[in-house]
Amino acid sequence: MNDDLDSAEAGLSKGNSAFHKLGKGMVAFLRAALGFEPEIIREASERLADAEATASSDQRRAQRDPDAFRSSIYPLGSEFALCHAESQLMSAVVGVLNESVTESLKGFYKLRKAFITLDAILEAEKKYIQGASGVGISKNRTSLESLRSNRAARSIRDIPGDFGDEAKSTLQNQKPLPRAVKDLKGNALNEPQAKTGTELGSEADDEDEEFYDVDEIQDEARKTETYTGHISLDRSTKSLEDLSIASPNTSKPKASSPLQDSENTLDEDPDSDLFTNPIDVFIHSGSNLCFGLLNLLISMIPPAFNRLLFIIGFHGDRDRGIRMLWQASKFHNINGAMAGLILLGYYNTLISLCDILPDPPADPSAPEALSGHPKERCEALLASMRTRYPSSKLWLLEQARMEASKKRLKQAIALLETSSRSPLKQVNALATFETSLNAMYTHDYSLCSSSFQTCVTLNNWSHALYYYIAGTCHVELYRHHLPTNPTLAATHAAKATALLQKVPEHVGKKKFMSRQLPFDAFVSRKLLKWTARAKENSIPLIDAVGVSPVEEMIFFWNGYKRMSPPDLEHSLRALAWSEAHPTWASAEADERAILAVLRAAVLRNLGREGEAVGELEGVLGVEKGLLKGGLRDDWMAPVAHYEMGVIFWGRRGRGGREGVESVRICGEWVGKAAGWEGYVLDARIGLKVRMATETLKKWDEGRGKGKGEVGEG
């Protein structure tokens, strides 16, 4: 976690335990998750499979070994069961990163298996709390101050597996318990415990299921070359519904049931007397990391992918996942660092995409603060991580994202550009991508274009998108210089054309579950639309480009939320260019709708909501058939409904019945957006809509809906 994976590899190579193999798998996983490179993904998959097998074997051995470590909280072999579950969870993510449908489905299946193991570990914690409720366990609640505390000496002991002398000493000095000693469930602690399917997995669960690659669809009429938004698995649906996830001895939760409640879980701080043994620390922090991440991942599956929940067998609980990740982040070990990285990435990227979020409570340390964006707590967490890992650029990247969220975009760019390069190419790629986005928000078109072109050399994700944005930046420069410097404008026109012509050759090279990436499909259709327009009007491609494509990209990344008023005014000028162009009189309905929605978003962020509503009403009145089909853009109508919801959500602060009524109207607009038919980028917009839906539900619950209570907004 300090950008020194080579040293980590060297240290981990000195041992062959389940812990060493899990560590080596985690190193490869980090490289894969940060860079999406096929060869690294394959390596991570192989390492994690090896770690799974070793952990499973060690767990069975521990359950039969009278000298194995025995915890007062967890069943025998829980440390190896956790290694097994962590390996499965990372394997699942790697499987989804793989372009194969088969590997992706296997990945989702592994999530189901990891759930069974993690649920058993947390159930042991629950029973421990219930059994010891009269003993007087210290229940130190989480506070903002605890994140700033350095009192975590016990949690930074080395985990078992020949990682250090202290861990060896702890294990070697662990005396066997006398036969009379029993755990809180009444089980003899020094006798092998019976193993069931619901307790830390079963041998049948360890066996590899056979998956086979799906044959190519022969019916060309049914073949889908591009991502179509809402997934229909067609003939695969039957097999998914029939897929048996439960082992013979495993209880299977219903597909529609949420994960279990978390009231009876340990939430001690690292300095609690409960965590005097490093193995218990490892199990507790690791189970919270994994189960928290599992909840979070499943809760964020867009509606378009709901069919995949048949494989997983349960829905995620976002709030519970976030709480568990915060609990894991308290501990000064790899589990705490990973939890911190996930939390900061979640708040600084995914939450930053959203507009309708829960109001922050008066007390920033209150549990409900975690549902929105607990900025103070995130800053404290980041400060802690940067102190612990001063050489890592990963944490510097999160610092830059925080600066951007505060509308300090130039400072965010400077922070990344003036820092030293990381030895990890994948981290440098993320930093360059972040610089590209921030340059786009500040309308620094030259920096944005060059940075996205650099991204092409650093990772293999979506080169088509990178070339598209790089090219459209020169479109903006062409438009800017055309009235005053035609020669310079012509230079930018040539650069724009050259870059945009590279887009088609890179479309489709990267896939997700054997389907074209949504943004690849988007930019491909855009190029086809502009090319057709250029041919029809006998004009150069540069003059056939429609409403500012850079502003469109800013909207999809919700850059307007990060922009200062001067930057937003610049956006209004860039959008106004289209209306001044001679061809605007004959512009298609979808082109006019794009302009209206983008302008409305800018006006809303400037606080001019009345003008924003006027722009959106113009889109809402357009016949649906004019905004879909052929080469038309199809995202504006559902987004216009969502934007109306955002505006009414902003009026909730007016108080009294007017505030409550505004929220009710907001819910109606968001509901219409949520129920919209499939469209390009619906998965991306769906994240915002889903968060809005969850926020509105919490607002209703907080106001006592149905009980006659009226809030003050």
Side-chain angles (χ1 to χ4, degrees), residues 236-368:
S236 300
T237 300
K238 177 64 177 171
S239 61
L240 293 181
E241 291 172 343
D242 292 341
L243 183 60
S244 176
I245 298 174
S247 300
N249 298 322
T250 301
S251 60
K252 175 183 176 182
K254 296 179 181 179
S256 60
S257 63
L259 295 175
Q260 298 175 13
D261 188 72
S262 61
E263 292 301 319
N264 293 311
T265 55
L266 296 173
D267 61 353
E268 316 303 314
D269 287 337
D271 57 345
S272 167
D273 291 337
L274 189 64
F275 297 126
T276 58
N277 191 289
I279 299 181
D280 283 340
V281 170
F282 172 68
I283 297 171
H284 176 72
S285 59
S287 58
N288 274 272
L289 163 67
C290 293
F291 213 58
L293 177 58
L294 184 57
N295 270 281
L296 187 60
L297 285 176
I298 303 308
S299 72
M300 293 191 302
I301 292 180
F305 294 85
N306 272 344
R307 184 71 72 174
L308 294 174
L309 293 177
F310 278 109
I311 302 173
I312 302 167
F314 54 83
H315 291 287
D317 183 335
R318 188 192 303 255
D319 288 346
R320 183 185 184 188
I322 292 298
R323 287 196 303 271
M324 297 184 81
L325 287 168
W326 277 108
Q327 174 65 13
S329 72
K330 298 178 185 178
F331 295 86
H332 289 200
N333 57 18
I334 182 62
N335 296 323
M338 286 292 292
L341 186 62
I342 293 167
L343 284 168
L344 292 173
Y346 168 74
Y347 287 119
N348 291 334
T349 55
L350 292 174
I351 289 297
S352 293
L353 280 174
C354 303
D355 306 284
I356 300 178
L357 296 168
D359 295 317
D363 180 5
S365 65
E368 55 267 26

Side-chain angles (χ1 to χ4, degrees), residues 403-424:
E403 291 295 320
S405 70
K406 298 174 183 176
K407 303 182 187 296
R408 298 203 287 249
L409 293 168
K410 293 188 184 299
Q411 290 91 326
I413 293 173
L415 194 62
L416 293 175
E417 287 203 313
T418 57
S419 63
S420 59
R421 290 179 60 81
S422 168
L424 298 177

Side-chain angles (χ1 to χ4, degrees), residues 493-507:
K495 290 180 179 180
T497 302
L499 289 167
L500 291 174
Q501 287 176 344
K502 291 183 178 181
V503 171
E505 65 186 85
H506 292 281
V507 167

